Amino acid sequence: MTSEEYQNGQIILIDKPLHWTSFQAVNKMKYALINKAGLPKKFKIGHAGTLDPLASGLLLVCTGKFTKRITELQGQAKEYTGTFYIGATTPSYDLETEIDQTFETSHIDEALILETVKQFLGEIDQKPPIFSAIKKDGVRLYEHARAGEIVEIAARKTTIHEFEITRIALPEIDFRVVCSKGTYIRSLAFDFGKAMNSGSHLIALRRTKIGDYSVSNAMDVTLFEDSIITNLV
């Protein structure tokens, strides 16, 4: 692909590695395009939807004139797969923080799990995790959390289009979810455990689709860099 094509606009499907921030992935791509494809330093590039460092999977990266499409792409439904750990919670609702409470799980069986799924289909009220980038009084929630401050978080409307349990091996439950923009899968994990009179937190998460874009068609950031080198040879 030529530098002109990147500037005219491209949507690049990247499979973000675990432990990387979305910013790191985009920054690495920008560095490669500037230094290997000769694009100007003010070249526009951005992603359509942040993935947490503890999540892997599909990241839509827009270049050039296509950065104007980021808002449109962010609004599309997203599909995730992952794993809930039943019987314990963490303050961050995932593995970023240590377990703070444990709960009884002897009453939980397949029937209860599948029945509980039904409570989360359709439009639901969901509170974002305290460890999130949403701002409260001009300060990001995770900053309040790390300072030990207690803040009231308002619930938001979100939609779960599909919610499927794909494996039950307690204390682990694997799932597949298709949801609207703004859905926090970490909050879904927490709320799911609470709905079963227990606790739960997220221990694995992978974004597999955004709209019609699939991670099966995505490439690793390193492969993207190599493709630039190949195209210049």
Side-chain angles (χ1 to χ4, degrees):
M1 199 174 295
T2 66
S3 59
E4 184 179 358
E5 287 174 315
Y6 282 118
Q7 294 197 74
N8 284 338
Q10 299 294 324
I11 298 176
I12 304 166
L13 279 61
I14 294 296
D15 188 348
K16 186 192 80 67
L18 197 62
H19 303 306
W20 282 44
T21 66
S22 299
F23 175 80
Q24 284 175 315
V26 172
N27 205 42
K28 192 170 180 67
M29 292 171 67
K30 183 175 184 178
Y31 181 87
L33 287 168
I34 291 170
N35 290 277
K36 296 177 181 177
L39 286 161
K41 290 184 178 180
K42 292 185 178 181
F43 167 67
K44 290 183 179 180
I45 185 170
H47 64 79
T50 302
L51 268 179
D52 290 339
L54 293 178
S56 67
L58 184 60
L59 194 68
L60 295 185
V61 179
C62 299
T63 72
K65 295 177 182 178
F66 275 23
T67 53
K68 294 179 181 178
R69 296 185 58 188
I70 285 176
T71 300
E72 166 207 335
L73 294 168
Q74 285 176 330
Q76 298 190 44
K78 298 171 180 64
E79 179 185 81
Y80 297 90
T81 61
T83 305
F84 298 153
Y85 186 96
I86 308 299
T89 57
T90 71
S92 60
Y93 301 172
D94 65 3
L95 293 176
E96 183 182 345
T97 53
E98 298 292 325
I99 289 172
D100 59 354
Q101 283 186 279
T102 57
F103 300 83
E104 182 60 53
T105 60
S106 60
H107 64 289
I108 298 175
D109 57 16
E110 182 176 346
L112 177 59
I113 292 167
L114 298 181
E115 188 63 30
T116 303
V117 165
K118 298 175 184 177
Q119 298 180 33
F120 294 92
L121 287 168
E123 187 178 72
I124 63 171
D125 290 318
Q126 185 185 77
K127 285 188 177 183
I130 184 64
F131 280 81
S132 64
I134 293 172
K135 288 186 177 181
K136 172 79 172 180
D137 301 326
V139 179
R140 299 198 182 277
L141 287 181
Y142 64 74
E143 294 179 26
H144 285 295
R146 289 168 183 164
E149 299 168 357
I150 298 174
V151 295
E152 183 61 34
I153 304 172
R156 299 179 168 196
K157 295 289 185 184
T158 188
T159 303
I160 306 296
H161 301 291
E162 299 177 37
F163 188 4
E164 175 188 7
I165 301 301
T166 56
R167 181 183 70 106
I168 299 173
L170 292 174
E172 296 182 2
I173 298 175
D174 290 354
F175 64 88
R176 182 185 70 86
V177 166
V178 179
C179 57
S180 65
K181 174 188 175 182
T183 302
Y184 280 90
I185 307 301
R186 285 182 287 148
S187 292
L188 182 63
F190 179 84
D191 294 340
F192 192 79
K194 189 175 180 180
M196 294 193 298
N197 293 314
S198 185
S200 175
H201 63 282
L202 189 67
I203 62 170
L205 185 66
R206 181 166 175 79
R207 185 158 67 196
T208 47
K209 288 183 181 179
I210 299 175
D212 293 328
Y213 298 98
S214 173
V215 73
S216 61
N217 298 317
M219 69 173 77
D220 182 84
V221 177
T222 302
L223 289 178
F224 174 75
E225 289 182 290
D226 291 343
S227 73
I228 296 175
I229 296 171
T230 301
N231 288 333
L232 292 179
V233 172

